[in-house]
Amino acid sequence: MSGVDGTSLAGVSGVVVRDAAADDVRAIVAMLVDDPLGATRESPDDLTPYHDALADIAGDPNQRVVVAVRDGEVIGTLQLTYMRGLGRRGATRAQIEAVRVRSDLRSAGLGSAMIRWAIEESRARGCTLVQLTSDASREGAHRFYERLGFTASHVGFKLSF
Amino acid sequence: MSGVDGTSLAGVSGVVVRDAAADDVRAIVAMLVDDPLGATRESPDDLTPYHDALADIAGDPNQRVVVAVRDGEVIGTLQLTYMRGLGRRGATRAQIEAVRVRSDLRSAGLGSAMIRWAIEESRARGCTLVQLTSDASREGAHRFYERLGFTASHVGFKLSF
């Protein structure tokens, strides 16, 4: 249903959600940097690796990076990955990563609307489960996801190289 | 490096790891069922959805279901998904799902060897992070992953339809 023009984001007026394009990379990276955890691990002065990554993702039918746009400005982003598995009778699950809302627009319902969009998009795609992890320190985010219907049923483990 | 013949699994003798084939589906599903959480959500009498899922996964260069095999018998399985993202300078992360060891062979080092294999495979593929979630009730599994170097830094949220 989405394309270059995008679709209206239910629940917030005047916001469209669409797949990210190369012109959106600078604004996406700015949101990744504007975050206590993200600040240390990004390089906004060199966008090349981000453009490479977006091109890679665009070529993968099971991966999407989307942006929320209002008046031509990128104000939110998230990534969706569709993962078929053998478990649960060969079910496909959707994973949400890299959810960001522009800092001056937080706590105004945009994040909720984006997650609800991702849930509906995943359901339309035939997924039977949506999952995500949130850093243990982000307690506000945990309440946010529980309000949206998620259950904090798992422990998320990471190993960085 | 893996193929039909597979590669020897470091740390346990006589075990090979290779991509799963259609003939392995019955044994994989048997391991998914033989689990307190999995028992209720699988249908071992009808393998069709599992075969469909494996064919789908085999066609996706970013997804692998592998089996550990000894003397021609499937004794373990896990799924690896490679996910490029924009964050962390366009990094690729690997996600491990659906880790199972045949019940009569648990606590003998096979699971550790399989996870170490998955970590090395992900590193060789250029990933900079390996992640997984484990049900909050599986406390033994949590200690297992921490011993392998993982940090329980996140809360895992799920929403089933």
Side-chain angles (χ1 to χ4, degrees), chain B residues 8-148:
Chain B
S8 292
L9 188 59
V12 285
S13 73
V15 178
V16 159
V17 61
R18 60 165 169 76
D19 290 299
D23 283 351
D24 304 317
V25 165
R26 184 173 299 278
I28 294 171
V29 174
M31 288 187 290
L32 295 175
V33 170
D34 185 18
D35 176 277
L37 300 175
T40 59
R41 57 195 190 201
E42 308 299 342
S43 65
D45 296 336
D46 175 14
L47 296 179
T48 309
Y50 302 97
H51 281 287
D52 290 349
L54 186 63
D56 201 10
I57 291 163
D60 182 344
N62 289 321
Q63 290 244 64
R64 299 176 71 180
V65 172
V66 299
V67 286
V69 179
R70 191 175 62 191
D71 297 334
E73 283 189 42
V74 172
I75 57 176
T77 182
L78 63 77
Q79 178 163 7
L80 261 181
T81 303
Y82 303 112
M83 297 182 292
R84 189 90 191 253
L86 264 60
R88 297 166 187 256
R89 307 186 72 243
T92 301
R93 60 183 69 197
Q95 181 151 311
I96 300 173
E97 295 266 358
V99 181
R100 295 292 184 281
V101 169
R102 211 174 71 186
S103 56
D104 58 320
L105 298 169
R106 284 179 199 155
S107 306
L110 177 59
S112 302
M114 287 166 50
I115 298 294
R116 287 200 186 93
W117 175 89
I119 292 168
E120 286 313 308
E121 197 73 13
S122 302
R123 195 196 303 264
R125 170 93 177 213
C127 298
T128 57
L129 185 123
V130 179
Q131 65 186 23
L132 59 90
T133 70
S134 178
D135 192 281
S137 68
R138 301 196 203 254
E139 293 179 12
H142 302 171
R143 290 188 297 272
F144 168 82
Y145 289 117
E146 288 181 325
R147 281 195 303 271
L148 285 163

Side-chain angles (χ1 to χ4, degrees), chain A residues 32-44, chain B residues 88-89:
Chain A
L32 295 175
V33 170
D34 185 19
D35 176 277
L37 299 174
T40 60
R41 57 195 189 201
E42 308 300 341
S43 66
Chain B
R88 297 166 187 256
R89 307 186 72 243

